[in-house]
Amino acid sequence: MYQIASIGLLKVVLACLLLSGVSACTSTAVTHIVPAPDKALVERALSGAALDILHQTPTPRIAPDELLSLTPEMAEFAEQAVSGQRRDADKVRALHNALLLPESGGGRGVLYESAATYTPAETYRQRRANCLSFSLLFVAMARHVGLDARINDVAIPPTWGRVGDRLQFMRHVNAKVNLRHSIDTLVIDLDMRNYRAYYPQHVISDRSAKSQFYNNLAIAPLDAQGGTLANRFFNLKQALALDSSQSFLWNNLATLYRQQGLNDLAEALYAEALVRNPQDLTAIQNLSQYYRQEGELVLAAKLDALAYQHRESNPYYQYRLASKYYRNAEYQQAAQRIESAIKKHPDEPLFYKLAVDIYDTLGLTRKAQKAQQKRERL
């Protein structure tokens, strides 16, 4: 899933949402800095009246029920995939393999594509999926064959990409299956090689997962089919109708209004995002840039200070800086940053891999050996 901000408005890289250790006092600080959202403006924004699009019909229209449903052909595929398997764990693995193996190997050959926000039927037909589309397909098929499968929200290391004039902050989901007659669960990911069991994660409701689907549709590239202002608005409104607790939906709707020059509505929506989640740093940064543009420099500076505090507490931000210093041959600074990252999150193999390279370059043989030993144990 994605959370967006205009690059023209956002000058600080957003590297600090998912795994930052944010304290309660920091969350309280946000509520003291940011004025409470104007509820009348929030309601006006949700109505869409200011956008002059209410006479338009969004296309294509996808009903929420389609997001966890199967065609007869898909149901048969799922049944054949687990045929002969008796244990839940074996059924899970068989279904996963059937979806990923190429046709030549007897599978469906589903491949990853970041922009492929498809319904299960479309994913099955197109053989392309992003993490959410694949998870919806797998969960729908798993449930059909009697498995207790849910959508699992995973806090991956901060990742973002540029699409046109926007930065998209990446989020991730996969599928989790509760095994009968066992306390164990199995996690199924479109890319199991990059999944880490220690990433913070939690099962979300079907409504939340469907909400994230409409969010993805809403912020698809501008040249994508159906990427009109009306479609963006109606998809975000559908997302909020399914689960308004997710702050990034309010942030994305705020950015839509900001791009249309409707700044008073955007401000109210950014503030609403922070009511839902005071730790949403994308919303903090977007609101900071809004206040700076409006001449509210004191407010902007306070929000920037909070964002800086969050970044400094984030081990993956420290890792990113260590990588940058290493590439620039600033090895002492790289060593300081990677050691800070390891202290904050000592179970990430990536950190030790970089530490080995840094220590070898500095001639710190014993430190490099210890880092390598730790990496091998993880």
Side-chain angles (χ1 to χ4, degrees), residues 4-7 161-168 219-221 232 259:
I4 62 173
S6 168
I7 289 178
R162 177 171 179 160
V163 178
D165 65 344
R166 296 173 296 162
L167 286 178
Q168 289 187 342
I219 62 173
R232 291 177 183 279
Q259 291 168 342

Side-chain angles (χ1 to χ4, degrees), residues 248-321:
F248 62 88
L249 302 176
W250 296 97
N251 175 77
N252 289 347
L253 184 60
T255 300
L256 181 150
Y257 274 98
R258 184 91 184 271
Q259 291 168 342
Q260 301 305 309
L262 299 168
N263 290 346
D264 56 339
L265 298 178
E267 179 189 11
L269 291 168
Y270 284 135
E272 185 68 29
L274 292 174
V275 168
R276 307 289 171 155
N277 178 13
Q279 301 172 15
D280 188 331
L281 296 189
T282 311
I284 289 174
Q285 291 285 12
N286 284 342
L287 195 51
S288 170
Q289 292 302 317
Y290 166 80
Y291 286 137
R292 180 166 288 103
Q293 190 175 59
E294 294 295 308
E296 298 281 355
L297 302 184
V298 173
L299 274 176
K302 288 180 179 180
L303 290 172
D304 285 343
L306 280 180
Y308 175 80
Q309 178 183 342
H310 293 345
R311 288 196 303 275
E312 288 299 306
S313 70
N314 188 319
Y316 289 93
Y317 179 73
Q318 299 297 324
Y319 170 77
R320 189 174 67 84
L321 288 181

Side-chain angles (χ1 to χ4, degrees), residues 131-142:
C131 65
L132 178 59
S133 297
F134 180 80
S135 299
L136 290 169
L137 172 63
F138 183 88
V139 167
M141 286 189 167

Side-chain angles (χ1 to χ4, degrees), residues 332-346:
Q332 292 293 345
Q333 294 95 322
Q336 292 173 6
R337 292 292 183 170
I338 200 61
E339 288 168 2
S340 176
I342 289 171
K343 183 178 180 180
K344 297 174 189 302
H345 188 13

Side-chain angles (χ1 to χ4, degrees), residues 15-282:
C16 47
L17 175 61
L18 295 173
L19 292 181
S20 55
V22 183
S23 66
C25 63
T26 303
S27 300
T28 302
V30 172
T31 61
H32 281 88
I33 292 171
V34 177
D38 185 319
K39 294 300 183 181
L41 290 178
V42 170
E43 289 302 318
R44 178 168 169 75
L46 287 174
S47 75
L51 296 173
D52 191 28
I53 58 170
L54 298 183
H55 61 285
Q56 301 180 36
T57 301
T59 56
R61 303 190 73 169
I62 298 173
D65 288 347
E66 295 180 53
L67 302 183
L68 282 169
S69 64
L70 304 178
T71 65
E73 179 186 355
M74 295 162 66
E76 183 180 0
F77 176 90
E79 293 163 8
Q80 290 180 351
V82 303
S83 176
Q85 307 296 335
R86 303 184 67 178
R87 297 173 60 247
D88 280 0
D90 294 332
K91 289 182 180 180
V92 171
R93 296 185 183 100
L95 180 57
H96 189 210
N97 288 335
L99 287 170
L100 296 186
L101 284 174
E103 278 191 282
S104 59
R108 193 63 189 168
V110 177
L111 297 175
Y112 175 76
E113 184 178 302
S114 62
T117 300
Y118 295 146
T119 65
E122 290 171 329
T123 297
Y124 184 82
R125 184 172 62 254
Q126 299 286 348
R127 305 172 196 266
R128 297 290 186 274
N130 56 25
C131 65
L132 178 59
S133 297
F134 180 80
S135 299
L136 290 169
L137 172 63
F138 183 88
V139 167
M141 286 189 167
R143 290 177 179 176
H144 178 72
V145 297
L147 295 168
D148 181 10
R150 313 288 178 86
I151 301 294
N152 189 43
D153 193 278
V154 183
I156 60 173
T159 306
W160 59 95
R162 177 171 179 160
V163 178
D165 65 344
R166 296 173 296 162
L167 286 178
Q168 289 187 342
F169 193 103
M170 307 298 186
R171 301 171 63 89
H172 185 62
V173 298
N174 55 31
K176 179 174 282 189
V177 182
N178 294 316
L179 304 179
R180 288 176 295 183
H181 315 302
S182 172
I183 61 172
D184 295 331
T185 61
L186 282 180
V187 170
I188 294 300
D189 201 291
L190 183 54
D191 183 8
M192 292 301 298
R193 292 173 302 175
N194 291 320
Y195 169 73
R196 300 290 184 269
Y198 54 75
Y199 289 160
Q201 54 198 279
H202 65 282
V203 169
I204 60 176
S205 69
D206 289 354
R207 289 180 66 88
S208 292
K210 293 175 181 181
S211 173
Q212 292 175 3
F213 178 90
Y214 289 104
N215 173 72
N216 279 11
L217 290 183
I219 62 173
L222 289 172
D223 58 353
Q225 182 180 7
T228 65
L229 176 62
N231 280 350
R232 291 177 183 279
F233 172 77
F234 285 115
N235 279 319
L236 280 172
K237 188 170 182 179
Q238 176 69 80
L240 285 164
L242 286 164
D243 185 2
S244 62
S245 69
Q246 299 184 103
S247 61
F248 62 88
L249 302 176
W250 296 97
N251 175 77
N252 289 347
L253 184 60
T255 300
L256 181 150
Y257 274 98
R258 184 91 184 271
Q259 291 168 342
Q260 301 305 309
L262 299 168
N263 290 346
D264 56 339
L265 298 178
E267 179 189 11
L269 291 168
Y270 284 135
E272 185 68 29
L274 292 174
V275 168
R276 307 289 171 155
N277 178 13
Q279 301 172 15
D280 188 331
L281 296 189
T282 311

